[in-house]
Amino acid sequence: MNILNTITAYKRKEVSAKKEAIPTRLLEKFPLFAKETKSLAEALRNSTTGIIAEHKRRSPSKSVINDKVLLPEVVLGYENAGAKGVSVLTDSNFFGGSLDDLLVAEKTISIPILRKEFIIDPYQIYESKAYGADAILLIAACLSAEELKQFSHLAKSLKLDVLLEVHNLEELQKSMLPNVDMIGVNNRNLKNFKVNIATSKKLSKEIPNDFVKISESGISDVETIKELRTFGYEGFLIGENFMKTENPGETAKQFIEKLR
Ligand SMILES: O=P(O)(O)OC[C@@H](O)[C@@H](O)c1c[nH]c2ccccc12
């Protein structure tokens, strides 16, 4: 079974347990549910660097990336480095993240926060709002066309920006929806974790300009970004290249300075 199926099967169990503990109607009472969200899509459209810096302690393919650094310091470092958004992994079992990480990030920085999660149930969209996210990720590889339509509509009704992630043309074709703000091309195949930047280059011409184009994963140098910009990409999601160093914020600062 590929890792994506393993993760989504785990998520279904995790979400049904959560619904028992905190029903949706209680999530709507959380203080942050009323928060004015900031648009990640707008921040990227108005940016010349377009870096979305990610907090990720580990991953199924890399086990531990960095569990020494403290999230508040990392996300503040990213903001000070000039990142246009921060991505926070909230899955704990495979990526070592948590919803508390999202809460802490929301209290620490003022740039838009993307909740990086395997969303397979509308409950998780209410949860994202309740814990302070400005944007959510929907992964085409684990959702039907109908779910993508429903979930993106629900997210927009909660004033959350939607980043819809694809890895191939078939997934892209079911993702060009009215309530999607950004289309992300994951250079990493979530089924076998192989990374190929050519994925972004190949798919770029198929993505209409209505969507902010984001390239995700495997980005480790500014040359790649400069090249992907010529393919129309305005956002670049980077995790490991920053997180594997002892000061991810400082690494991001030096990286972004080279981009200016
Ligand atoms: O660490 P990298 O290679 O810079 O990749 C970051 C980000 O793109 C990656 O973590 C990611 C992209 N889409 C995802 C979906 C689930 C989990 C993780 C991801």
Side-chain angles (χ1 to χ4, degrees):
M1 186 185 323
N2 73 51
I3 184 74
L4 197 57
N5 290 347
T6 305
I7 294 175
T8 48
Y10 182 90
K11 283 293 149 187
R12 290 194 202 294
K13 289 197 205 86
E14 187 181 67
V15 169
S16 58
K18 284 187 179 182
K19 280 176 168 176
E20 301 284 306
I22 309 178
T24 307
R25 61 181 160 69
L26 284 188
L27 284 176
E28 293 174 281
K29 299 264 178 270
F30 278 40
L32 284 175
F33 206 89
K35 154 183 136 166
E36 189 82 18
T37 47
K38 299 151 217 140
S39 170
L40 176 59
E42 279 315 303
L44 294 171
R45 274 200 194 93
N46 301 326
S47 160
T48 53
T49 51
I51 299 298
I52 307 167
E54 183 159 276
H55 179 268
K56 177 166 66 171
R57 293 189 182 85
R58 58 185 163 88
S59 74
S61 62
K62 283 281 179 324
S63 65
V64 177
I65 299 170
N66 189 335
D67 56 4
K68 302 279 176 294
V69 287
L70 300 174
L71 177 127
E73 288 168 6
V74 171
V75 298
L76 194 56
Y78 283 162
E79 182 176 59
N80 294 338
K84 289 301 161 193
V86 166
S87 165
V88 176
L89 263 296
T90 57
D91 168 75
S92 55
N93 195 51
F94 302 92
F95 288 85
S98 70
L99 277 164
D100 288 347
D101 286 341
L102 187 52
L103 279 178
V104 172
E106 198 282 333
K107 285 285 161 273
T108 307
I109 56 177
S110 52
I111 54 176
I113 299 170
L114 167 71
R115 183 196 182 182
K116 205 50 135 24
E117 181 55 87
F118 294 79
I119 291 181
I120 44 90
D121 187 302
Y123 178 87
Q124 294 167 289
I125 301 172
Y126 287 96
E127 194 182 50
S128 303
K129 180 83 180 160
Y131 284 81
D134 295 292
I136 59 160
L137 177 79
L138 296 178
I139 303 172
C142 47
L143 295 168
S144 68
E146 190 47 37
E147 283 170 327
L148 288 175
K149 222 175 278 171
Q150 284 170 13
F151 289 13
S152 56
H153 181 266
L154 171 60
K156 291 313 277 182
S157 71
L158 296 176
K159 302 215 176 7
L160 294 166
D161 268 14
V162 176
L163 166 54
L164 216 165
E165 174 178 303
V166 300
H167 182 67
N168 57 47
L169 187 57
E170 186 201 348
E171 288 175 8
L172 177 60
Q173 278 157 350
K174 69 178 181 179
S175 303
M176 294 190 269
L177 298 163
N179 291 307
V180 170
D181 305 280
M182 301 162 278
I183 289 187
V185 177
N186 195 343
N187 301 310
R188 178 173 291 112
N189 181 330
L190 288 179
K191 296 186 168 84
N192 59 25
F193 286 100
K194 280 197 175 42
V195 174
N196 186 349
I197 299 289
T199 312
S200 285
K201 296 178 189 172
K202 209 166 49 192
L203 279 175
S204 66
K205 61 186 177 309
E206 310 295 338
I207 307 171
N209 293 332
D210 321 51
F211 303 99
V212 176
K213 290 182 199 166
I214 295 175
S215 183
E216 308 172 11
S217 305
I219 299 175
S220 56
D221 59 61
V222 293
E223 298 321 312
T224 303
I225 290 188
K226 287 177 181 163
E227 188 186 13
L228 287 173
R229 273 226 201 92
T230 65
F231 284 80
Y233 286 94
E234 296 173 281
F236 308 92
L237 182 49
I238 303 178
E240 203 176 318
N241 189 48
F242 300 152
M243 285 302 294
K244 69 185 181 190
T245 64
E246 64 179 43
N247 186 336
E250 186 51 36
T251 309
K253 185 164 182 281
Q254 288 164 21
F255 189 91
I256 293 172
E257 266 157 18
K258 278 189 245 160
L259 267 181
R260 291 199 198 285

